[in-house]
């Protein structure tokens, strides 16, 4: 039974432990465990700089989000901060692009999970994919608390796996586990530290952005906690430490333990590194961890899609029938839309597995960068207005304003430029630009329609 229109408030059932693991789990996905192979192959050992650059840029964006969230507490999604800073067009565009990004993640993760499970379950990949979709749909239809519990345990497993890997790889690299001690030799022994030049580092940052995205999920989940403003402020200031530890350090250790020339695209470099360390159970263990990461991302994608679509509907930028929630305060209709999109993607993959997967990834390659740039521009304008009004200083402030904000935008524009000049990334940029243009056209049509309605009423 659906709630009445007045009862559209979400629940407040997420606890601090849920939010902590959601923020960590949002960062650690299958993109780290598997997707890092393509990044390493494209940039060599210098991929460490790509991860560091992407991590710093995302941290700056998260700091800006934290500042805006403390200025305007109570926003259900960080994309609404763009609306407050730049106007309705920004909220519409950022909201739909962000929804589109995570909507694409749903079938991507379902397909990836099905491919992993095929080694253990004698069923076609599409059937396994549909089973995963059914499971995550059920979890997200239950309650926000059920999503938080699943994500808490998924993230705990991922964190534990990375910590164990970092300890073992460090011990191996420096000879604490035996006579073999590659140390830092593999960083320069094979065509140097930067075999493809600095442009490849920027291009690698573009690939990294897709896999490292997810830190901002906390701004969506915080709306269903008891203290949303405090949760956002706390998480946005600590996310950089997690990025540096979980991404930069683990990737650095991989290229120290294994020559980067031996990394194969599509195969987990973590498994390769563990095999080099003579860990016999590496393959099975990493498959289980990767599966956990995939399910975690699938779970989060469902959650984000449903909440962002609810916010868009509340603002009049999506059909109003999506506003309603059920007695457990879950926007079930938005959850079902994510489920339908995922099922379509999984079934389409049975026709052209590689083609569908490549199209889905390419069509979202730069979308998140567009959303971040809009968000950064909104923060600059909002901060200037805040300072000019003489209001109290927010609890979270962007450092070195406005220069750090400008640096963040310039860095993201540089990554887009690198994508445009890198053949392997140019297709992603073009397809993502199509998504941006479509969103802007839809806003123009929407605004024109509403203008006509207003004129008719007069």
């Amino acid at each position: 039974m659906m709630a009445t229109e007045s009862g559209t408030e979400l629940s407040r059932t997420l606890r601090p432990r849920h939010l902590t693991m959601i923020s960590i789990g949002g960062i650690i996905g299958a993109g780290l465990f598997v997707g890092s192979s393509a990044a390493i192959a494209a940039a060599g050992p210098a991929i460490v700089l790509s991860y560091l650059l992407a991590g710093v840029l995302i941290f700056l964006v998260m700091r800006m989000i934290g500042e805006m969230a403390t200025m305007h507490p109570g926003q259900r999604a960080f994309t609404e901060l763009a609306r407050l800073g730049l106007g309705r067009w920004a909220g519409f565009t950022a909201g739909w692009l962000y929804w589109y990004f995570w909507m694409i993640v749903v079938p991507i993760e379902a397909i990836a999970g099905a491919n992993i499970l095929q080694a253990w379950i004698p069923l076609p990949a599409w059937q396994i994919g549909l089973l995963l979709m059914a499971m995550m749909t059920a979890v997200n239809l239950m309650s926000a608390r059920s999503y938080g519990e699943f994500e808490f345990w998924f993230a705990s497993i991922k964190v534990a796996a990375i910590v164990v890997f970092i300890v073992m790889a460090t011990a191996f690299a420096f000879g604490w586990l035996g006579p073999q001690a590659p140390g830092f030799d593999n960083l320069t022994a094979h065509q140097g530290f930067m075999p493809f030049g600095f442009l490849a580092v920027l291009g690698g940052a573009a690939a990294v952005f897709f896999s490292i995205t997810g830190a901002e999920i906390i701004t969506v989940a915080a709306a269903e906690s008891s203290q949303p403003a405090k949760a956002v402020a706390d998480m946005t200031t600590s996310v950089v430490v997690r990025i540096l530890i979980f991404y930069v350090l683990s990737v650095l250790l991989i290229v120290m333990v294994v020559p980067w020339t031996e990394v194969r695209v599509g195969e987990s470099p973590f498994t390769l590194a563990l095999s080099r360390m003579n860990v016999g159970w590496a393959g099975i263990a990493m498959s289980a961890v990767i599966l956990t990461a995939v399910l975690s991302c699938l779970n989060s994608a469902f959650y984000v899609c449903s909440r962002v679509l609810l916010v868009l509907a509340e603002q009049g930028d999506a059909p109003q029938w999506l506003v309603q929630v059920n007695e457990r305060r879950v926007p079930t209709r938005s959850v079902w839309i994510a489920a339908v999109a995922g099922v379509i993607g999984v079934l389409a993959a049975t026709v052209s597995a590689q083609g569908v997967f490549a199209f889905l990834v390419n069509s979202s390659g730069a979308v998140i960068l567009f959303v971040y740039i809009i968000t950064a521009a909104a923060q600059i304008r909002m901060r200037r207005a805040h300072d000019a009004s003489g209001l109290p200083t927010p609890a979270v402030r962007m450092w070195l304003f406005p220069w750090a904000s400008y640096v963040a935008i310039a860095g993201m524009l540089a990554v887009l430029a690198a994508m445009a000049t890198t053949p392997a990334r140019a297709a992603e940029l073009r397809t993502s630009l199509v998504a941006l243009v479509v969103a802007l056209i839809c806003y123009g049509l929407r605004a024109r329609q509403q203008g006509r309605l207003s004129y008719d009423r007069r």
Side-chain angles (χ1 to χ4, degrees):
M1 178 179 177
M2 300 305 295
T4 61
E5 186 175 348
S6 61
T8 58
E9 189 67 28
L10 297 174
S11 66
R12 298 280 184 176
T13 56
L14 292 179
R15 300 289 181 260
R17 67 182 181 90
H18 296 139
L19 296 177
T20 299
M21 282 305 180
I22 287 170
S23 65
I24 296 176
I27 302 170
I28 308 169
L32 171 62
F33 295 111
V34 181
S36 54
S37 61
I40 293 172
I47 193 61
V48 175
L49 299 180
S50 301
Y51 275 95
L52 187 60
L53 172 61
V56 169
L57 291 177
I58 288 179
F59 176 58
L60 292 176
V61 172
M62 289 297 295
R63 185 72 180 186
M64 286 186 269
I65 292 173
E67 179 185 274
M68 290 188 288
T70 55
M71 289 181 188
H72 299 277
Q75 298 300 318
R76 295 188 182 182
F78 84 96
T79 52
E80 286 305 295
L81 297 171
R83 186 186 304 272
L84 294 174
L86 297 176
R88 184 165 186 175
W89 74 268
F92 181 98
T93 304
W96 277 111
L97 287 178
Y98 192 62
W99 176 85
Y100 172 68
F101 175 87
W102 283 103
M103 184 61 71
I104 287 175
V105 171
V106 172
I108 286 177
E109 298 299 337
I111 293 169
N115 291 334
I116 295 171
L117 286 171
Q118 259 196 311
W120 302 326
I121 302 175
L123 289 175
W126 68 271
Q127 292 184 10
I128 300 175
L130 293 181
L131 289 173
L132 293 178
M133 291 294 303
M135 182 174 69
M136 289 298 104
T137 301
V139 169
N140 280 272
L141 286 174
M142 291 179 192
S143 65
R145 183 67 176 268
S146 63
Y147 157 72
E149 284 295 336
F150 271 79
E151 194 59 25
F152 175 83
W153 292 108
F154 284 153
S156 297
I157 293 172
K158 291 187 291 186
V159 169
I162 290 180
V163 170
V164 170
F165 175 81
I166 289 174
V167 171
M168 293 179 62
T170 301
F172 178 84
F174 294 102
W176 302 337
L177 295 181
Q180 291 181 313
F184 297 100
D185 293 345
N186 283 328
L187 296 179
T188 56
H190 305 276
Q191 304 175 47
F193 177 71
M194 202 177 294
F196 304 111
F198 187 70
L199 189 62
V201 174
L202 288 177
V208 168
F209 257 100
F210 182 85
S211 63
I212 211 170
T213 299
E216 72 290 331
I217 291 177
I218 185 62
T219 66
V220 180
E224 298 188 66
S225 68
S226 58
Q227 294 178 299
K230 183 179 184 300
V232 172
D234 291 344
M235 299 305 169
T236 54
T237 54
S238 60
V239 69
V240 67
V241 177
R242 294 155 187 171
I243 291 175
L244 291 174
I245 293 175
F246 295 135
Y247 271 88
V248 178
L249 184 55
S250 59
V251 172
L252 173 63
L253 288 168
I254 286 173
V255 292
M256 286 175 61
V257 171
V258 180
W260 71 270
T261 52
E262 296 182 13
V263 175
R264 298 292 176 263
V265 177
E267 298 179 5
S268 173
F270 286 81
T271 302
L272 181 62
L274 288 172
S275 299
R276 180 58 60 92
M277 290 184 273
N278 298 315
V279 179
W281 41 265
I284 296 176
M286 284 312 304
S287 292
V289 171
I290 294 168
L291 178 61
T292 301
V294 165
L295 294 178
S296 172
C297 286
L298 182 57
N299 190 33
S300 292
F302 260 101
Y303 179 81
V304 174
C305 285
S306 61
R307 269 52 178 187
V308 171
L309 194 54
L310 172 67
V311 171
L312 286 169
E314 287 180 329
Q315 294 293 338
D317 292 335
Q320 288 299 291
W321 54 268
L322 292 170
V323 172
Q324 292 178 311
V325 298
N326 65 9
E327 64 275 5
R328 294 184 300 278
R329 301 298 178 186
V330 175
T332 53
R333 293 174 178 178
S334 298
V335 173
W336 280 115
I337 287 179
V340 170
V343 168
I344 292 174
V346 170
L347 293 179
T350 62
V351 179
S352 176
Q354 294 299 321
V356 170
F357 193 83
F359 171 78
L360 290 173
V361 173
N362 287 342
S363 63
S364 62
V367 163
I368 197 64
L369 280 168
F370 299 150
V371 175
Y372 283 165
I373 289 172
I374 292 173
T375 302
Q379 183 268 336
I380 293 173
R381 187 171 181 182
M382 188 182 296
R383 173 68 177 274
R384 290 191 187 281
H386 182 89
D387 291 346
S389 67
L391 293 172
T393 302
V396 177
R397 289 174 64 87
M398 184 64 182
W399 303 293
L400 302 175
F401 180 82
W403 304 113
S405 300
Y406 289 144
V407 166
I409 293 177
M412 289 184 283
L413 290 175
V415 172
L416 290 175
M419 290 182 71
T421 55
T422 304
R425 299 292 172 196
E428 294 182 19
L429 179 59
R430 287 193 298 269
T431 315
S432 298
L433 282 171
V434 171
L436 175 62
V437 170
V438 168
L440 291 173
I441 291 174
C442 288
Y443 172 75
L445 294 174
R446 175 71 171 166
R448 184 178 180 182
Q449 179 188 34
Q450 290 180 332
R452 284 182 174 177
L453 287 174
S454 298
Y455 179 80
D456 291 341
R457 286 169 184 166
R458 289 197 300 268

